Amino acid sequence: MFKIFSSNPVHDPINKQAPATEIKKTTCYMCACRCGIRAHLREGKLVYIDGNPEHPLNQGVICAKGSSGIMKQNSPARITQPLLRKAGSERGNGEFEPISWEKAFDILTERLAKIRATDPKKFALFTGRDQMQALTGLFARQFGTPNYAAHGGFCSVNMAAGMIYTIGGSFWEFGGPDLDQAKLFVMIGTAEDHHSNPMKIALSKFKRAGGRFISINPVRTGYSAIADEWIPIKPGTDGALFMALMHELIRLEKYDAPFLKRFSNSSQLVCMDSGPEEGLFLYDPDSDPLNTDLPHNKYIWDETSQSAKPCFAKGTSPALLGEYVMGPGPHQGKKVVPSFELLKRQVSETTPEWAAAITSIPAERIRKLALEMADTAFGQEFELPIQWTDSWGEKHDSVTGRPVAFHAMRGLSAHSNGFQTTRGLAVLMSLLGTIDRPGGFRHKAPYPRQVPPNAKPPSSENDIKPNTPLAKPPLGWPTQPEDLALDSDGKPLRIDKAYSWEHPLAAHGLMHNVITNAVKGDPYSIDTLMIFMANMSWNSTMNTMEVREHLNAKNDDGEFKIPFLVVCDAFQSEMVDFADLVLPDTTYLERHDVMSMLDRPISEFDGPVDSVRIPVLEPLGECKPFQEVLIELASRLKFPAFTTPEGERKFKDYPDFITRFQTTPDSGIGFLGGWRGKDGDKPLRGEPNPNQWQKYAENNCVHQYHMPPEHQYMRNWNKGYLDFSKENALRQKNDPIMIAIYSDILQRFRLASTGKRPGAQPPEHLKARIYKYFDPLPFWYPPLEDEATDLTKFTLNAITQRPMAMYHSWDSQNAWLRQIHSHNYLYVNTATALKSGIADGAWMWIESQWGKVRCMARHSEAVDPGTVWTWNAIGKAESAWSLTNDADESKKGFLLNHLISEELPLGGFTVSNSDPITGQAGWYDVRVRLAPADENEPKETWPQVKAFEVPGMVLKKSGETK
Ligand code: SF4
């Protein structure tokens, strides 16, 4: 519990003499959902937060976290001044001296300027659950370091990349289920999670309208509690379920053949001859490629003329199945098949019986599920009388509704097989014809984007030069081995080995390997690591205890292996203790912020929406928004984008930067799309408007653009929409975005591993790995951890879920939310627990091959018998987050991370415990066993770790700082 209680209530609701309330609107950040809120202030003090009824996202709905923002503001764990670790003290002991911001900036400027002038990649910037990646990414690019990423690599990059490399969009911010028009909703691998309040609103309407909701999840929590049916599934096996569902749909010929022929690459011809074109699409040199990066000039097999034709030729009848030989022309004699034929072959053996043995879902249930999906998609098809024109100029009088909607997130993603699993879901949805159609999956601007988007990461040493911005953005979307971030010796250019042969499509980086790699000097050492808003010595890292040692590791000369560690956060945490320099951030109520179209906006299905935060309170103490820190550093370091031609500082502060920055000179595109143009009358594109912030303030902090109905569906191939998206820089081109049932991009990497493709080749020890996992068609394989584990000893899967009332580690300092969760249990199916001799509520051990943890058990029927689970990030180090040293969080709460390794020994070498394609952390792959704790053991969790108070933390009772 807190060390000091106040005897005065925060406010007295029955005091009739209470002074007038002032209401200020801003955007919540108690989780990543970004609901509109109203902050109620009396005499300048925050007394109440409620949902903004005029906000399009949450329409006034607020959750427990959102309304508890007031206690975050009053948290005793706030840090209030910059801190420098005392000379000679060990990291982790919390021995700091307060310093001024001027000194902090001087230290940083001097150090970073030296790195930038010599070897810019020695500076690494990694950020946690922030919402300003367009700014942090710009900062890294201008600095000239490739070593930048946000938290996506350990969160849900498989979900983003698997979908974007297939349909050009993904779930949550990028798209979602159209529950207003769906009849069947299948939620798989999603707990109380992203898109929280909008999902609750939509589910409530959907259920009231008679929709059927099926939840497929190892655990029945969160949204699953109101599902009509819960289908338990073994973690990491969702891909097998999708393979079996596709097997059934194709076997029964219940798929949307016209949709696949017109809008996907299903009918496009793949070369089957051995050699450099093997498994690749053939190209017609006489047709317009439309897009030189990802050309469209492929062939189909025309069943009428029995010959190959350019794929967009009019009057053809494309085949989906069969094997053919190319006639006269540049490819004469080559054997070809439509890619759908290859998909049919791929799923020919993945029967429901095959999947039942993997997933633990009975074969009969899988069969019925496939039928239920098909019957709803095709039996309940409907037309909306909306005229639209496709990319080939054909006019349509209506759009077809296929009312089966899906939603999936981390449950699919956080496995080392998550990319191919997500591809499986995207292809399944495509077979049902539910992509950007009424009742199915719908995109949100700026998506759909090209498959994949055209940004490429740095791909040679020449892209990284002293005192020069990176030639390319630090993060991108490779389409071929030549795009990988490798030096001339084939070694990774990045500290996290993203875009190396170990993880070629690592679109969000691998933050979970940065500390370990930097300490090992593999692939090289760095000088300065800057971490923003990520608890990398606790719940945001795997192998927690060893990573904490890594942070303190020294060379023989006594110098730290990571010489300088900068941590920016608003609260004292397990991570802050390890910093050399602490930069005190503001809360979300004390700063400007943007949810930008250049980044992760809050768009709706019917058009682009972006939003802002506007401070409702003054920053506490000397807290400074991290955005301001970046603008200040960028100005002092004279980054070109932040400096005038005369060498002067370009932007006064962050709000000024947001108002005046344009992606290229005079592009008219900036961070915010609302009220652009000198007079504020231009939406999305227009010259900077000095009054833009004011307009957002007057309009609920949000700008919503409604597209006409004819632009709202079929956007991958909707000419009107694609023209609109190009005009407004949502995309660079307006060519159609074909669904990649078959990924020739993956095949290029696979081909490189066989030596048949000219150009870059993987190193010998990774050839088999690339060949196996870069299958151009979805497939299921067991998570990599299974290979490294004795499954006869560690028989159970262990996963975490995110509680409704807390978001990551952010809320353990929140007096209201702690009353809901002050500690966590390990939830074990009753039969499983009893078999291990573990009573309900008893102390027990959970053990993996990597470590063990003592915790408390809770029997449950709402979990698959082969799986155990707990809430994420409730357990804390002693005294962290300003909790007392006997707080439940550190004595009864526990962290599953101790059981998970960041690396795996596989095939004679060590690799990241991640998806071999994207580098997504395999959080949910760990295997465990259980045992009761001995009666004589202490009744507290193990391992025990101590955190330390730091100078400047808020003393709650007096309101002073110490
Ligand atoms: S769902 Fe998230 S953003 Fe919305 S009110 Fe709750 S905490 Fe705030």
Side-chain angles (χ1 to χ4, degrees):
M1 303 299 289
F2 290 129
K3 295 170 192 134
I4 297 161
F5 285 100
S6 167
S7 53
N8 301 319
V10 174
H11 69 114
D12 181 353
I14 55 169
N15 178 2
K16 298 211 168 48
Q17 304 307 313
T21 301
E22 183 189 8
I23 295 178
K24 292 184 179 176
K25 294 171 186 170
T26 188
T27 301
C28 186
Y29 199 4
M30 291 294 284
C31 85
C33 188
R34 303 163 296 177
C35 300
I37 51 168
R38 300 186 299 193
H40 299 244
L41 299 120
R42 282 193 190 146
E43 295 175 326
K45 287 207 167 62
L46 179 64
V47 293
Y48 183 57
I49 296 174
D50 64 357
N52 181 356
E54 293 166 1
H55 197 279
L57 195 78
N58 57 314
Q59 301 152 43
V61 172
I62 193 157
C63 75
K65 300 179 295 256
S67 50
S68 302
I70 185 170
M71 298 313 285
K72 185 172 216 163
Q73 195 60 32
N74 291 324
S75 164
R78 289 288 302 273
I79 42 182
T80 60
Q81 59 203 92
L83 302 169
L84 188 64
R85 192 169 54 78
K86 284 187 180 161
S89 68
E90 291 297 300
R91 284 185 186 156
N93 287 353
E95 291 178 40
F96 295 104
E97 58 176 298
I99 57 168
S100 67
W101 272 107
E102 198 48 41
K103 183 163 179 194
F105 281 126
D106 284 348
I107 292 170
L108 277 171
T109 308
E110 190 187 338
R111 190 160 197 122
L112 295 183
K114 265 190 211 149
I115 300 172
R116 189 167 186 257
T118 50
D119 188 356
K121 67 179 186 306
K122 298 264 178 186
F123 169 62
L125 170 62
F126 284 83
T127 73
R129 195 58 192 91
D130 71 298
Q131 296 181 331
M132 55 168 107
Q133 290 155 33
L135 173 60
T136 49
L138 176 69
F139 183 91
R141 184 172 184 180
Q142 289 281 310
F143 187 93
T145 179
N147 289 325
Y148 159 79
H151 75 295
F154 66 70
C155 183
S156 286
V157 65
N158 273 337
M159 182 50 61
M163 295 280 282
I164 288 170
Y165 272 94
T166 308
I167 64 168
S170 188
F171 285 107
W172 189 32
E173 295 146 310
F174 313 140
D178 179 10
L179 292 187
D180 279 353
Q181 303 183 81
K183 302 275 187 253
L184 174 64
F185 177 44
V186 181
M187 182 178 263
I188 180 159
T190 307
E192 174 69 26
D193 209 328
H194 304 90
H195 214 50
S196 181
N197 281 344
M199 179 56 76
K200 290 172 205 152
I201 297 166
L203 267 177
S204 158
K205 274 199 218 159
F206 175 74
K207 291 265 296 180
R208 280 169 214 267
R212 178 162 156 69
F213 171 19
I214 298 175
S215 168
I216 305 174
N217 202 310
V219 179
R220 186 170 195 170
T221 58
Y223 305 124
S224 299
I226 59 159
D228 296 291
E229 184 181 356
W230 171 50
I231 303 179
I233 186 169
K234 212 167 134 51
T237 68
D238 315 82
L241 174 64
F242 299 142
M243 295 300 286
L245 291 169
M246 288 191 277
H247 169 93
E248 281 298 281
L249 294 178
I250 293 176
R251 181 180 71 81
L252 298 168
E253 297 187 10
K254 286 182 181 287
Y255 52 85
D256 193 338
F259 178 85
L260 292 169
K261 286 179 187 178
R262 173 61 77 94
F263 301 121
S264 79
N265 64 15
S266 297
S267 57
Q268 295 174 357
L269 297 180
V270 177
C271 179
M272 299 301 284
D273 291 342
S274 180
E277 289 178 315
E278 182 181 328
L280 298 178
F281 292 109
L282 292 179
Y283 290 90
D284 170 20
D286 297 328
S287 295
D288 184 353
L290 299 180
N291 179 340
T292 45
D293 292 335
L294 292 167
H296 289 271
N297 49 329
K298 305 174 196 164
Y299 296 95
I300 53 95
W301 190 263
D302 176 29
E303 291 187 309
T304 310
S305 64
Q306 282 300 312
S307 63
K309 298 275 187 198
C311 65
F312 299 145
K314 291 201 188 308
T316 58
S317 175
L320 283 178
L321 299 170
E323 191 161 338
Y324 308 97
V325 177
M326 295 294 283
H331 301 293
Q332 185 165 6
K334 290 178 185 166
K335 258 194 248 146
V336 289
V337 295
S339 69
F340 191 80
E341 168 72 31
L342 296 174
L343 177 66
K344 186 179 179 190
R345 293 178 193 176
Q346 182 90 341
V347 300
S348 63
E349 309 277 310
T350 60
T351 61
E353 282 72 19
W354 167 82
I358 296 167
T359 60
S360 80
I361 303 172
E364 200 42 43
R365 185 67 199 92
I366 297 174
R367 237 176 240 114
K368 272 197 194 143
L369 190 58
L371 275 181
E372 198 173 352
M373 288 174 182
D375 289 350
T376 312
F378 306 119
Q380 299 192 50
E381 167 188 311
F382 61 92
E383 297 292 323
L384 292 185
I386 296 172
Q387 293 185 335
W388 65 286
T389 303
D390 67 28
S391 290
W392 305 278
E394 186 175 332
K395 291 189 169 27
H396 302 260
D397 289 331
S398 62
V399 289
T400 303
R402 298 242 179 271
V404 181
F406 294 80
H407 185 51
M409 276 308 294
R410 253 184 123 220
L412 262 58
S413 202
H415 296 285
S416 53
N417 60 11
F419 177 85
Q420 288 287 9
T421 293
T422 305
R423 280 258 303 140
L425 173 62
V427 173
L428 172 70
M429 287 160 54
S430 304
L431 294 186
L432 293 164
T434 62
I435 306 299
D436 212 37
R437 277 177 150 174
F441 170 86
R442 291 179 68 193
H443 292 293
K444 295 176 186 172
Y447 290 85
R449 282 187 161 156
Q450 196 163 290
V451 177
N454 59 350
K456 300 280 189 291
S459 54
S460 95
E461 298 100 318
N462 295 332
D463 290 337
I464 306 165
K465 292 195 176 121
N467 281 333
T468 311
L470 281 182
K472 298 170 185 164
L475 297 171
W477 304 87
T479 57
Q480 56 182 353
E482 289 69 27
D483 296 334
L484 294 181
L486 301 170
D487 68 15
S488 46
D489 294 329
K491 277 204 187 143
L493 281 177
R494 289 177 55 112
I495 185 68
D496 58 1
K497 303 190 188 178
Y499 308 115
S500 72
W501 284 106
E502 287 185 20
H503 308 286
L505 308 186
H508 292 175
L510 285 85
M511 185 167 178
H512 47 293
N513 285 106
V514 170
I515 293 168
T516 302
N517 290 3
V519 167
K520 284 184 174 178
D522 175 19
Y524 49 79
S525 305
I526 56 172
D527 177 90
T528 295
L529 173 60
M530 185 183 268
I531 299 273
F532 172 55
M533 219 172 165
N535 205 355
M536 294 305 293
S537 73
W538 196 246
N539 57 284
S540 293
T541 194
M542 297 165 156
N543 190 13
T544 307
M545 300 306 277
E546 210 169 317
V547 166
R548 292 170 65 86
E549 283 173 22
H550 286 338
L551 287 168
N552 233 335
K554 290 178 181 154
N555 294 315
D556 294 342
D557 62 3
E559 292 301 316
F560 286 109
K561 292 199 174 190
I562 300 175
F564 200 61
L565 186 57
V566 185
V567 174
C568 182
D569 213 318
F571 303 99
Q572 180 258 7
S573 70
E574 291 86 350
M575 185 65 198
V576 165
D577 280 348
F578 286 90
D580 295 308
L581 179 64
V582 180
L583 306 175
D585 192 21
T586 55
T587 69
Y588 66 104
L589 296 168
E590 299 167 345
R591 67 168 173 248
H592 290 91
D593 220 343
V594 297
M595 274 55 73
S596 163
M597 205 58 67
L598 301 181
D599 196 339
R600 308 172 76 119
I602 57 163
S603 293
E604 297 282 325
F605 295 143
D606 74 350
V609 188
D610 61 18
S611 60
V612 302
R613 293 193 181 92
I614 295 179
V616 299
L617 293 165
E618 288 295 316
L620 185 68
E622 292 172 43
C623 293
K624 195 182 278 295
F626 188 54
Q627 294 94 326
E628 293 291 3
V629 173
L630 292 181
I631 301 294
E632 183 67 32
L633 283 174
S635 307
R636 289 182 182 223
L637 291 165
K638 297 197 180 300
F639 293 170
F642 292 78
T643 310
T644 64
E646 296 74 38
E648 298 299 315
R649 179 184 181 124
K650 205 166 175 180
F651 305 108
K652 180 165 70 81
D653 53 19
Y654 176 72
D656 182 41
F657 165 77
I658 290 297
T659 306
R660 293 199 292 120
F661 175 83
Q662 298 185 68
T663 50
T664 52
D666 303 324
S667 66
I669 299 292
F671 273 72
L672 289 173
W675 300 280
R676 298 195 69 84
K678 279 197 302 293
D679 303 320
D681 56 356
K682 294 181 185 166
L684 305 178
R685 183 166 212 155
E687 56 274 45
N689 168 12
N691 297 318
Q692 198 176 28
W693 282 103
Q694 183 58 34
K695 296 304 287 184
Y696 274 86
E698 290 164 6
N699 288 277
N700 298 300
C701 294
V702 64
H703 177 259
Q704 183 165 21
Y705 182 89
H706 298 281
M707 300 186 305
E710 60 268 28
H711 289 178
Q712 291 183 18
Y713 295 99
M714 303 296 281
R715 276 165 283 189
N716 291 48
W717 323 273
N718 182 323
K719 185 171 184 328
Y721 173 76
L722 291 167
D723 290 345
F724 162 84
S725 68
K726 186 179 171 196
E727 278 157 25
N728 292 291
L730 304 178
R731 281 191 71 207
Q732 288 187 353
K733 302 196 167 82
N734 61 352
D735 56 312
I737 301 161
M738 304 299 280
I739 295 171
I741 298 290
Y742 182 91
S743 176
D744 55 335
I745 292 171
L746 294 179
Q747 176 64 11
R748 281 177 203 153
F749 287 87
R750 177 179 255 195
L751 212 47
S753 75
T754 66
K756 292 177 183 169
R757 181 183 184 275
Q761 311 273 325
E764 205 54 41
H765 71 287
L766 293 174
K767 279 186 176 163
R769 173 177 159 112
I770 294 286
Y771 186 85
K772 178 173 178 183
Y773 299 113
F774 277 74
D775 192 320
L777 289 161
F779 78 114
W780 179 82
Y781 56 92
L784 300 190
E785 177 127 2
D786 283 12
E787 263 182 66
T789 306
D790 182 346
L791 297 177
T792 60
K793 286 189 185 155
F794 300 97
T795 55
L796 300 169
N797 291 87
I799 58 173
T800 56
Q801 302 275 291
R802 187 172 294 157
M804 288 179 215
M806 287 189 175
Y807 194 68
H808 300 294
S809 57
W810 294 2
D811 297 308
S812 288
Q813 89 297 70
N814 191 302
W816 291 350
L817 297 175
R818 288 187 68 219
Q819 294 176 48
I820 302 172
H821 299 282
S822 69
H823 61 285
N824 51 326
Y825 294 91
L826 187 76
Y827 291 91
V828 189
N829 186 282
T830 307
T832 310
L834 292 178
K835 214 163 89 189
S836 299
I838 297 166
D840 188 28
W843 283 95
M844 58 167 290
W845 287 95
I846 175 170
E847 185 181 6
S848 75
Q849 64 177 315
W850 314 112
K852 60 185 204 171
V853 169
R854 186 166 53 219
C855 61
M856 289 164 78
R858 182 60 82 213
H859 290 189
S860 170
E861 298 301 322
V863 56
D864 170 62
T867 305
V868 296
W869 72 275
T870 191
W871 298 120
N872 174 42
I874 302 286
K876 294 283 177 291
E878 182 186 316
S879 300
W881 300 84
S882 207
L883 304 178
T884 54
N885 58 10
D886 59 352
D888 279 357
E889 283 84 348
S890 58
K891 298 302 165 199
K892 293 179 173 175
F894 72 100
L895 206 59
L896 204 73
N897 306 42
H898 296 299
L899 306 182
I900 305 171
S901 173
E902 82 280 36
E903 293 185 316
L904 292 177
L906 282 177
F909 55 96
T910 299
V911 282
S912 169
N913 179 10
S914 301
D915 189 298
I917 300 173
T918 59
Q920 154 92 53
W923 289 108
Y924 293 166
D925 290 342
V926 70
R927 294 302 201 105
V928 298
R929 62 185 174 191
L930 314 178
D934 193 274
E935 264 305 299
N936 303 321
E937 289 183 39
K939 302 281 183 278
E940 67 175 25
T941 191
W942 188 91
Q944 282 286 314
V945 167
K946 191 160 172 46
F948 297 88
E949 290 177 359
V950 298
M953 285 167 63
V954 171
L955 274 177
K956 192 166 168 49
K957 190 171 183 181
S958 64
E960 293 166 358
T961 59
K962 59 180 177 177

